[in-house]
Amino acid sequence: MDEQLLKEFLADADELIAGLYADVEALREGRGEGRAQRELLARLFRKAHTFKGSAAAAGLAGAAGLAHEFESLLDAVRLGRRQADDAALDASDAAVGALEALLGAAARGREQAAPAELLDRLRELSADVADAGAPEA
């Protein structure tokens, strides 16, 4: 783990977390509003992507892995494979909360793994739901 990168990431991470929370809330409040929703999803996706890369560079594998799964869910919503429904939004809130907790642990010198049940939930939600109703060959 690169201690200098970790210190820099932790110094900037509060702003990223606050932005993620705000964007998820804005998405919750403005579902189905066309272009504005697409722009919001793109911004949220970029923040999750930035978080993932920064966490990985800082050596926080658990946070980077969780951010990756969160990013996959956002990508599914962004590409129209999944609705920005309560399940996706609740999982997004949970992901941001868990990222915040993982950062707190890292700041105290205790890197933790992401909660397995949350990772599974994000993976399930980001799966291509268009295939879910397709008949098997």
Side-chain angles (χ1 to χ4, degrees), residues 3-137:
E3 291 299 320
Q4 183 59 34
L5 277 176
L6 178 60
K7 287 179 186 179
E8 290 174 16
F9 176 56
L10 291 174
D12 295 334
D14 287 340
E15 187 176 323
L16 258 177
I17 292 291
L20 287 168
Y21 273 128
D23 286 349
V24 170
E25 185 58 31
L27 185 60
R28 186 180 296 278
E29 292 173 358
R31 282 186 224 165
E33 293 187 8
R35 183 176 181 192
Q37 183 184 31
R38 287 190 304 275
E39 290 172 359
L40 177 59
L41 281 165
R43 185 172 68 232
L44 188 53
F45 178 84
R46 284 190 306 272
K47 285 178 185 170
H49 183 76
T50 298
F51 189 100
K52 176 185 75 173
S54 298
L60 299 177
L66 177 56
H68 172 74
E69 297 303 336
F70 179 35
E71 180 185 46
S72 294
L73 172 59
L74 294 171
D75 197 38
V77 173
R78 187 174 67 131
L79 296 174
R81 292 191 335 255
R82 161 151 293 286
Q83 294 289 320
D85 57 10
D86 287 336
L89 293 168
D90 291 348
S92 295
D93 278 331
V96 177
L99 289 171
E100 184 176 34
L102 291 172
L103 288 177
R108 292 185 302 278
R110 295 186 225 129
E111 185 183 358
Q112 296 177 336
E117 62 278 356
L118 179 56
L119 292 170
D120 290 343
R121 183 173 159 202
L122 291 167
R123 285 182 193 117
E124 180 181 317
L125 289 169
S126 65
D128 192 349
V129 294
D131 290 342
E136 290 187 33

